[in-house]
Amino acid sequence: MFCASSYIPKEKSKYRFCVDFRALNAVTKFDPYPLPTLEETTSNLHGSKYFSISDCCSGFCQMSIKEHRERTRFTVSSAHYKFNRLTFGSSNNPSNIQRLMDAALKNLVGRECWVFIDDVIFSSTAEEYALRLENVLRILDEANLQLHPSKCVFAQNQVKYLGYVLSGRGIFYSPEKVKAVREYPNPRSIRRYIIS
């Protein structure tokens, strides 16, 4: 089985190489490793004054494929290739990267940080925050996980996370998401919204 490939526009004239893994995903055994819910990842943030979001640089690509590389075969022009590392599109990749992050940060999750593929660091004092940040960065470095500097934010009194704004006052919907819903055009035809 060979999968089709293409380049998909990202933001600011960047492109992401994508492979259509629908046929592979249809026969892949589902990995039931749980991704945390928003409630789990934000349950003990109340009263925190300092927040960080750490974003792994091309997170999936930092994890090697040890088995079944032949299943990732794809074609570009007339040449055939297969991936050495995880990539977008394979159904179990979010579970795999969550498992990796949970294993790396296992002693800190829930106490000093939360992980939903990327991680959130929180604290109520500057000193405690600095120590927690140092712990998370040290562990990520020891695990050879690299961060994307332009997508990380540090020592903020509020951060955007999964469509929400987290702050010491609580969790609120992101204003941009609310605006997008409010400005969504009224339907002119019901056919567009019927799922067949």
Side-chain angles (χ1 to χ4, degrees):
M1 167 189 333
F2 285 96
C3 300
S5 61
S6 62
Y7 286 92
I8 306 296
K10 214 173 156 184
E11 76 276 344
K12 299 179 185 172
S13 70
K14 293 182 180 179
Y15 291 87
R16 173 176 285 147
F17 180 72
C18 293
V19 175
D20 183 358
F21 284 120
R22 285 180 289 188
L24 174 64
N25 290 337
V27 296
T28 298
K29 182 179 177 185
F30 175 70
D31 180 356
Y33 191 83
L35 298 180
T37 64
L38 180 71
E39 290 78 19
E40 289 173 316
T41 58
T42 59
S43 63
N44 56 351
L45 299 182
H46 183 71
S48 293
K49 295 179 183 175
Y50 301 94
F51 298 88
S52 290
I53 304 286
S54 303
D55 186 352
C56 282
C57 185
S58 300
F60 291 152
C61 297
Q62 293 192 48
M63 193 168 178
S64 296
I65 298 175
K66 294 183 170 93
E67 300 176 2
H68 310 299
R69 283 187 50 226
E70 69 281 353
R71 295 180 185 173
T72 68
R73 293 179 294 188
F74 61 96
T75 303
V76 175
S77 299
S78 60
H80 303 295
Y81 302 92
K82 53 189 167 187
F83 284 98
N84 293 326
R85 300 188 166 275
L86 295 183
T87 185
F88 288 97
S90 181
S91 61
N92 285 331
N93 288 354
S95 293
N96 288 324
I97 197 71
Q98 183 70 37
R99 183 182 289 110
L100 172 69
M101 295 297 288
D102 283 347
L105 294 165
K106 66 182 174 226
N107 295 326
L108 304 180
V109 172
R111 293 181 307 127
E112 298 186 20
C113 67
W114 280 106
V115 178
F116 182 88
I117 300 179
D118 298 327
D119 58 281
V120 177
I121 303 163
F122 56 90
S123 178
S124 57
T125 67
E127 295 78 16
E128 183 182 59
Y129 169 80
L131 182 61
R132 290 177 175 188
L133 178 62
E134 182 181 355
N135 288 340
V136 169
L137 293 178
R138 178 183 42 77
I139 289 170
L140 293 177
D141 184 50
E142 289 169 0
N144 279 334
L145 293 168
Q146 299 174 355
L147 299 178
H148 196 295
S150 67
K151 291 187 176 182
C152 295
V153 292
F154 299 104
Q156 301 295 307
N157 61 4
Q158 69 178 28
V159 291
K160 292 179 183 175
Y161 179 69
L162 302 176
Y164 294 86
V165 175
L166 308 180
S167 76
R169 296 180 300 126
I171 303 166
F172 306 94
Y173 293 112
S174 171
E176 294 87 12
K177 303 294 182 187
V178 172
K179 181 181 176 187
V181 170
R182 284 192 175 145
E183 294 179 357
Y184 192 79
N186 289 329
R188 292 184 222 165
S189 167
I190 198 162
R191 289 181 190 194
R192 180 177 172 188
Y193 301 95
I194 295 176
I195 300 172
S196 45

